[in-house]
Amino acid sequence: MDVSECNEASSFGGAADLGEVKQAHTGHKGCGTLGGRDKASCGSQARQGDLPPAIWEKVKSHPCYSEEAHHHYARMHVAVAPACNIQCNYCNRKYDCANESRPGVVSEKLTPEQAAKKVLAVASTIPQMTVLGIAGPGDPLANPKKTFKTFELVAKAAPDIKLCLSTNGLALPDHVDAIARLNIDHVTITITMIDPEIGAKIYPWIFYGHRRYTGVKAAKILTDRQLQGLEMLAERGILCKINSVMIPGINDQHLVDVNKAVKSRGAFLHNVMPLISAPQHGTVFGLNGQRGPTAQELKTLQDACEGEMNMMRHCRQCRADAVGLLGEDRGAEFTTEKIMAMDVNYDLETRKAYQAKVEEERAATVAAKQQKLADLAGETSDINLLVAVASKGSGLINEHFGHAKEFQVYELSTSGAKFVGHRRADPYCQGGYGEEGSLATIIRMINDCHAVFVAKIGGCPKSELIKAGIEPLDQYAHEFIEKSALAWFKSYLAKVQSGEIQHVERGDAAIRQGALISAA
């Protein structure tokens, strides 16, 4: 099964268009390698003007390929691919499960026809839904007939929706022509190693060529096929995102080599994700006590890889049937029973009009950030720090502290505000009262942050945060995230320079393992 966070693709038709994209992508060769303020902007943090026009059109409304877009646009996955051709020690596929948020988990398996109707129902209800991904719950290319049939039905009925595929890559070289023919312009490949000795510790077996292979031989076949498939896709101008699971003590240091290898073969974006290894998930790693990384371990590795290519840092490691904005799941609204009873009217013009308004909102967000960046232009300081933000989306500070299911984390410096990740949470408010255990967990999760921005916060959590050295900020409620964060950072620097406060480094933080999506 592929561990996609969110893995989707874009319809981009015509031989001339494909040639333009291929030429632009080949010339671009992934992401820039310059560091600091002059770094070539690419991948998830790219904006219009940073990329060739053909590539920008493919990523601008893709919430997984564009960090900026993920605040505004939604995605959905359909679970039509139950079979898998490899076994991963970090994976345990669960069907009929509604209370876990991680890859490989679904509530219902669908036929291609059911999936196509579900896409139309969701897209009619959520007009900012721009991307359909097939990411499992097994591997889409171990179920090629169901996968490609679903894409064909959706492309015919809803041609404006981007089509996206996520795979472990074992069968990828066999299906590159079909992927190109169906205009699947984004493919995610999960590559956790390029050294078979390391791979043998991650993959117990693969099934390839009607045979089962184990150990180093299995890992060698897998990595060879993954890298071959990546090269074939890049040659055709298809954007490729690489997902890698960070497993401390096994492949954490090795992922820097993986990063270099995939960049050299034309990968567009690299997503290093933390291992989810809670024992209750029933994975091999979970049951044998293999730990996941801490927040700072993950960030340090991502920073190291970013010297080679830009990283995706907004991945939510979502379910194989997720629906909605990244960080939310509206799947319960669209069960098979409900969608089969719906009279769906797919109105393309209404969707276009709604998305035009989304673009206006997005432009306002960018303009607000640029204004505050100009205010920082004269500042000179080597201070950089992290802050957490409670947000429901749209790039706004618009969530109550007690209701937050996640906190978005930004790194602030005189270069600006950079999104560096998110932290899952069990909401502090449970049925009208505060859960002290959840509060302690949240504080551990954002312990490396100097401040937390919220729309509203109660007295008790506010005092506990202050005790922990984290400043709670509700005065920026319903304002743009980056504009507010940079305004606060400028005032923070002024206080440090005047001697009113002393800047201190924060400690490490925990990464919450698989928060329940059903938490209220």
Side-chain angles (χ1 to χ4, degrees), residues 46 56-57 69 73 76 94 114 148 168 191 196-197 224 229-230 235 251 290 313 324 373 415 450 497 499 504:
W56 171 250
E57 285 299 317
Y73 290 100
M76 70 175 294
K94 288 188 179 181
Q114 289 172 328
F148 293 135
N168 59 48
I191 300 178
E197 294 289 342
D224 287 348
L230 170 59
E235 287 172 358
N251 74 343
Q290 171 63 51
R313 301 190 189 234
L373 274 174
S415 296
H450 279 73
Q497 290 164 3
V504 295

Short mmCIF file of all heavy atoms in Angstrom, two decimals, residues 46 56-57 69 73 76 94 114 148 168 191 196-197 224 229-230 235 251 290 313 324 373 415 450 497 499 504:
data_model
loop_
_atom_site.label_atom_id
_atom_site.label_comp_id
_atom_site.label_asym_id
_atom_site.label_seq_id
_atom_site.Cartn_x
_atom_site.Cartn_y
_atom_site.Cartn_z
N ALA A 46 6.07 27.22 -4.27
CA ALA A 46 6.17 28.05 -5.46
C ALA A 46 4.91 28.88 -5.66
O ALA A 46 3.81 28.49 -5.31
CB ALA A 46 6.41 27.18 -6.68
N TRP A 56 3.05 25.69 -13.65
CA TRP A 56 2.23 26.44 -12.70
C TRP A 56 0.75 26.08 -12.86
O TRP A 56 0.02 25.91 -11.88
CB TRP A 56 2.43 27.94 -12.89
CG TRP A 56 1.45 28.78 -12.11
CD1 TRP A 56 0.43 29.53 -12.60
CD2 TRP A 56 1.40 28.91 -10.68
NE1 TRP A 56 -0.26 30.13 -11.58
CE2 TRP A 56 0.31 29.77 -10.39
CE3 TRP A 56 2.15 28.40 -9.64
CZ2 TRP A 56 -0.03 30.14 -9.09
CZ3 TRP A 56 1.81 28.76 -8.33
CH2 TRP A 56 0.74 29.61 -8.07
N GLU A 57 0.28 25.93 -14.09
CA GLU A 57 -1.11 25.56 -14.32
C GLU A 57 -1.44 24.21 -13.71
O GLU A 57 -2.57 23.96 -13.31
CB GLU A 57 -1.40 25.53 -15.83
CG GLU A 57 -1.53 26.91 -16.46
CD GLU A 57 -2.66 27.73 -15.87
OE1 GLU A 57 -3.75 27.16 -15.66
OE2 GLU A 57 -2.46 28.93 -15.59
N ALA A 69 -1.81 26.54 -2.06
CA ALA A 69 -3.13 26.07 -2.49
C ALA A 69 -3.82 25.24 -1.41
O ALA A 69 -5.05 25.20 -1.36
CB ALA A 69 -2.99 25.24 -3.77
N TYR A 73 -7.91 24.92 -1.38
CA TYR A 73 -8.51 23.90 -2.24
C TYR A 73 -8.56 22.54 -1.53
O TYR A 73 -7.71 22.22 -0.70
CB TYR A 73 -7.74 23.77 -3.55
CG TYR A 73 -7.92 24.97 -4.45
CD1 TYR A 73 -6.94 25.97 -4.52
CD2 TYR A 73 -9.07 25.12 -5.22
CE1 TYR A 73 -7.11 27.08 -5.34
CE2 TYR A 73 -9.24 26.22 -6.04
CZ TYR A 73 -8.27 27.20 -6.10
OH TYR A 73 -8.44 28.29 -6.90
N MET A 76 -9.99 14.73 -2.74
CA MET A 76 -10.67 13.53 -2.26
C MET A 76 -9.94 12.30 -2.80
O MET A 76 -9.29 12.35 -3.84
CB MET A 76 -12.13 13.50 -2.68
CG MET A 76 -12.39 13.31 -4.16
SD MET A 76 -14.16 13.15 -4.54
CE MET A 76 -14.57 11.60 -3.71
N LYS A 94 -6.66 -1.30 6.88
CA LYS A 94 -7.89 -1.57 7.63
C LYS A 94 -9.09 -1.12 6.82
O LYS A 94 -9.17 0.04 6.40
CB LYS A 94 -7.87 -0.83 8.98
CG LYS A 94 -6.92 -1.41 10.00
CD LYS A 94 -7.09 -0.75 11.35
CE LYS A 94 -6.15 -1.34 12.40
NZ LYS A 94 -6.34 -0.70 13.73
N GLN A 114 -19.34 3.42 -8.54
CA GLN A 114 -19.68 4.10 -7.28
C GLN A 114 -18.71 5.25 -7.02
O GLN A 114 -19.12 6.33 -6.58
CB GLN A 114 -19.61 3.10 -6.12
CG GLN A 114 -20.72 2.07 -6.11
CD GLN A 114 -20.49 0.99 -5.06
OE1 GLN A 114 -19.34 0.64 -4.75
NE2 GLN A 114 -21.57 0.46 -4.50
N PHE A 148 -7.87 2.50 -13.54
CA PHE A 148 -7.97 3.25 -14.79
C PHE A 148 -9.42 3.41 -15.23
O PHE A 148 -9.77 4.42 -15.85
CB PHE A 148 -7.11 2.59 -15.86
CG PHE A 148 -5.63 2.67 -15.58
CD1 PHE A 148 -4.81 1.57 -15.74
CD2 PHE A 148 -5.06 3.86 -15.14
CE1 PHE A 148 -3.46 1.63 -15.47
CE2 PHE A 148 -3.70 3.94 -14.87
CZ PHE A 148 -2.89 2.83 -15.04
N ASN A 168 3.36 2.45 -4.86
CA ASN A 168 4.65 2.04 -4.31
C ASN A 168 5.70 1.87 -5.40
O ASN A 168 6.88 1.71 -5.11
CB ASN A 168 4.51 0.75 -3.49
CG ASN A 168 3.96 -0.42 -4.31
OD1 ASN A 168 4.41 -0.69 -5.41
ND2 ASN A 168 2.99 -1.13 -3.75
N ILE A 191 9.05 6.06 -1.93
CA ILE A 191 10.40 5.51 -2.00
C ILE A 191 11.07 5.76 -0.65
O ILE A 191 11.35 6.91 -0.30
CB ILE A 191 11.21 6.16 -3.14
CG1 ILE A 191 10.52 5.93 -4.48
CG2 ILE A 191 12.63 5.62 -3.15
CD1 ILE A 191 11.23 6.57 -5.67
N PRO A 196 19.23 -1.78 -0.96
CA PRO A 196 18.45 -2.98 -0.65
C PRO A 196 18.70 -3.53 0.75
O PRO A 196 17.79 -4.16 1.33
CB PRO A 196 18.90 -3.97 -1.73
CG PRO A 196 19.34 -3.11 -2.87
CD PRO A 196 19.97 -1.91 -2.22
N GLU A 197 19.89 -3.33 1.30
CA GLU A 197 20.15 -3.81 2.66
C GLU A 197 19.24 -3.09 3.65
O GLU A 197 18.73 -3.70 4.61
CB GLU A 197 21.62 -3.57 3.03
CG GLU A 197 22.61 -4.39 2.21
CD GLU A 197 22.59 -5.87 2.54
OE1 GLU A 197 22.08 -6.23 3.63
OE2 GLU A 197 23.10 -6.66 1.72
N ASP A 224 14.85 -0.80 -7.95
CA ASP A 224 15.15 -0.67 -9.38
C ASP A 224 13.90 -0.27 -10.15
O ASP A 224 13.94 0.59 -11.04
CB ASP A 224 15.71 -1.98 -9.93
CG ASP A 224 17.13 -2.26 -9.48
OD1 ASP A 224 17.77 -1.33 -8.92
OD2 ASP A 224 17.60 -3.39 -9.67
N GLY A 229 10.62 3.68 -13.04
CA GLY A 229 9.33 4.31 -13.27
C GLY A 229 9.39 5.82 -13.14
O GLY A 229 8.77 6.55 -13.92
N LEU A 230 10.14 6.30 -12.15
CA LEU A 230 10.30 7.74 -11.96
C LEU A 230 10.93 8.37 -13.20
O LEU A 230 10.46 9.41 -13.69
CB LEU A 230 11.16 8.00 -10.72
CG LEU A 230 11.64 9.44 -10.50
CD1 LEU A 230 10.47 10.41 -10.40
CD2 LEU A 230 12.53 9.52 -9.25
N GLU A 235 10.40 11.75 -18.09
CA GLU A 235 10.62 11.90 -19.52
C GLU A 235 9.35 12.32 -20.25
O GLU A 235 9.41 12.98 -21.29
CB GLU A 235 11.15 10.59 -20.12
CG GLU A 235 12.60 10.29 -19.75
CD GLU A 235 13.02 8.91 -20.19
OE1 GLU A 235 12.17 8.17 -20.75
OE2 GLU A 235 14.20 8.55 -19.97
N ASN A 251 16.30 4.24 8.34
CA ASN A 251 16.56 4.95 7.08
C ASN A 251 16.66 6.45 7.24
O ASN A 251 16.69 7.18 6.25
CB ASN A 251 15.46 4.62 6.05
CG ASN A 251 14.14 5.32 6.36
OD1 ASN A 251 13.92 5.79 7.49
ND2 ASN A 251 13.26 5.40 5.39
N GLN A 290 9.22 0.03 17.38
CA GLN A 290 9.96 1.01 16.58
C GLN A 290 9.33 2.39 16.78
O GLN A 290 8.16 2.59 16.53
CB GLN A 290 9.92 0.63 15.10
CG GLN A 290 10.48 1.69 14.16
CD GLN A 290 11.95 1.95 14.37
OE1 GLN A 290 12.75 1.03 14.40
NE2 GLN A 290 12.32 3.23 14.50
N ARG A 313 5.90 19.99 3.10
CA ARG A 313 5.86 19.93 4.56
C ARG A 313 4.43 19.98 5.09
O ARG A 313 4.24 19.98 6.30
CB ARG A 313 6.67 21.06 5.16
CG ARG A 313 8.16 21.04 4.72
CD ARG A 313 8.95 22.01 5.53
NE ARG A 313 10.30 22.19 5.04
CZ ARG A 313 11.39 22.05 5.79
NH1 ARG A 313 11.29 21.71 7.05
NH2 ARG A 313 12.59 22.29 5.29
N GLY A 324 -12.14 16.48 1.51
CA GLY A 324 -12.14 17.83 2.07
C GLY A 324 -10.78 18.49 1.99
O GLY A 324 -9.87 18.03 1.28
N LEU A 373 6.10 41.63 4.79
CA LEU A 373 7.49 41.38 4.42
C LEU A 373 8.23 42.69 4.16
O LEU A 373 9.40 42.85 4.53
CB LEU A 373 7.56 40.48 3.18
CG LEU A 373 7.50 38.97 3.42
CD1 LEU A 373 7.43 38.23 2.09
CD2 LEU A 373 8.69 38.50 4.24
N SER A 415 13.59 36.70 6.89
CA SER A 415 13.30 36.32 5.50
C SER A 415 11.81 36.12 5.26
O SER A 415 11.37 36.05 4.12
CB SER A 415 14.05 35.03 5.13
OG SER A 415 15.44 35.22 5.18
N HIS A 450 7.34 29.27 20.13
CA HIS A 450 7.37 30.40 21.06
C HIS A 450 5.98 30.96 21.31
O HIS A 450 5.76 31.62 22.33
CB HIS A 450 8.27 31.51 20.52
CG HIS A 450 9.73 31.29 20.78
ND1 HIS A 450 10.47 30.35 20.10
CD2 HIS A 450 10.58 31.87 21.66
CE1 HIS A 450 11.72 30.37 20.55
NE2 HIS A 450 11.82 31.28 21.50
N GLN A 497 15.40 43.54 21.21
CA GLN A 497 16.41 44.58 21.01
C GLN A 497 16.38 45.63 22.12
O GLN A 497 17.41 46.19 22.50
CB GLN A 497 16.19 45.23 19.65
CG GLN A 497 16.54 44.32 18.48
CD GLN A 497 15.97 44.79 17.15
OE1 GLN A 497 15.34 45.85 17.08
NE2 GLN A 497 16.18 44.00 16.10
N GLY A 499 15.58 44.95 25.19
CA GLY A 499 15.89 44.31 26.46
C GLY A 499 14.65 43.97 27.28
O GLY A 499 14.77 43.46 28.40
N VAL A 504 15.06 33.01 23.97
CA VAL A 504 15.61 31.72 24.40
C VAL A 504 15.18 30.65 23.39
O VAL A 504 14.10 30.75 22.79
CB VAL A 504 15.11 31.33 25.81
CG1 VAL A 504 15.63 32.30 26.85
CG2 VAL A 504 13.59 31.26 25.86
#
